[in-house]
Amino acid sequence: MRKLALALAFFSFSALADARLEQALDLLDPDQRPEQPDDAALGHWRNDLWVVAAVYDQTVQAAVLRETKGRFTLVARSAGEEPVSSEPNLYAAGVTLDLIPYRIAPKEVAFGVRVSNSYESSARSSASEALHLYRLHGGTLRQVFVTLTRESNWDKSDQDGAESQWVVIVSKKTRKGFYDLLVRDKKTKETTMYRWNGSEYVQ
């Protein structure tokens, strides 16, 4: 009986989560649906705000939603961005939310959408992950930064492969009121700085 009760509780929780995601996707884009379950994600951001993101074909899109009495309303939706990948196209894509507070300014935080992609053939395989940062400001949601955070390539003919990983660090230095972003190679410690140009981060 206990196992049955746990199974029913899990089924109810999963059904509720699926229904909430469907409601969120209706607000993100009522005319499209992701091809695979991993192509979409929903998560609580802060206060009564939630984030939903999805990959549609070769585009990633995000939206901020407000929850009131168990229902979502749309706050802002991004324009639809081209995902960054080590491959020219998205083959096996996935979306996860990175909702830690990326404090890009003293009174502003951005959220992240991580888009993964992988490719495999008889000759080679590759995989990558990119971090897209979004800023909600004045009722508008805009992507302000994107960078690769992981990349691997494997040549099957000579069993040769390489992998790189990068971490995004918020600097204490500012430009135009926004903190600089540093992208650091985990292995070599080589660091690239990105600075605010008034609307987004540029190298």
Side-chain angles (χ1 to χ4, degrees), residues 18-34 40-42 52-54 56 61 63-65 71-75 77:
D18 290 344
R20 288 168 67 79
L21 179 57
E22 283 298 312
Q23 183 192 152
L25 290 174
D26 279 339
L27 295 170
L28 182 63
D29 191 329
D31 299 322
Q32 296 193 84
R33 277 296 183 272
L42 172 69
V52 61
Y56 301 117
Q61 193 165 356
V64 173
L65 312 175
R71 298 292 298 177
F72 291 131
T73 55
L74 180 65
V75 175
R77 180 170 46 217

Side-chain angles (χ1 to χ4, degrees), residues 163-177:
E163 181 173 3
S164 298
Q165 292 186 346
W166 298 268
V167 61
V168 177
I169 302 168
V170 179
S171 171
K172 294 181 179 179
K173 296 182 179 179
T174 62
R175 175 184 174 86
K176 298 183 178 180

Side-chain angles (χ1 to χ4, degrees), residues 8 12 26-27 32 40 51 64 87 97 100 106 122 125 142-143 146 150 157 164 169 174 185 197 199:
L8 290 174
S12 298
D26 279 339
L27 295 170
Q32 296 193 84
V51 170
V64 173
E87 294 288 337
L97 300 179
I100 67 170
S122 58
S125 64
R142 177 186 171 94
Q143 178 182 286
V146 60
R150 179 175 56 85
S157 61
S164 298
I169 302 168
T174 62
D185 189 302
N197 70 355
S199 59

Side-chain angles (χ1 to χ4, degrees), residues 8-59:
L8 290 174
F10 178 77
F11 176 79
S12 298
F13 177 81
S14 299
L16 177 61
D18 290 344
R20 288 168 67 79
L21 179 57
E22 283 298 312
Q23 183 192 152
L25 290 174
D26 279 339
L27 295 170
L28 182 63
D29 191 329
D31 299 322
Q32 296 193 84
R33 277 296 183 272
E35 292 184 3
Q36 302 295 330
D38 289 344
D39 292 352
L42 172 69
H44 178 243
W45 183 25
R46 55 190 174 93
N47 301 325
D48 59 348
L49 299 180
W50 288 65
V51 170
V52 61
V55 169
Y56 301 117
D57 192 17
Q58 299 296 310
T59 302

Side-chain angles (χ1 to χ4, degrees), residues 78-99:
S78 74
E81 293 72 41
E82 180 180 352
V84 170
S85 171
S86 59
E87 294 288 337
N89 297 301
L90 290 182
Y91 295 99
V95 171
T96 57
L97 300 179
D98 187 347
L99 302 180

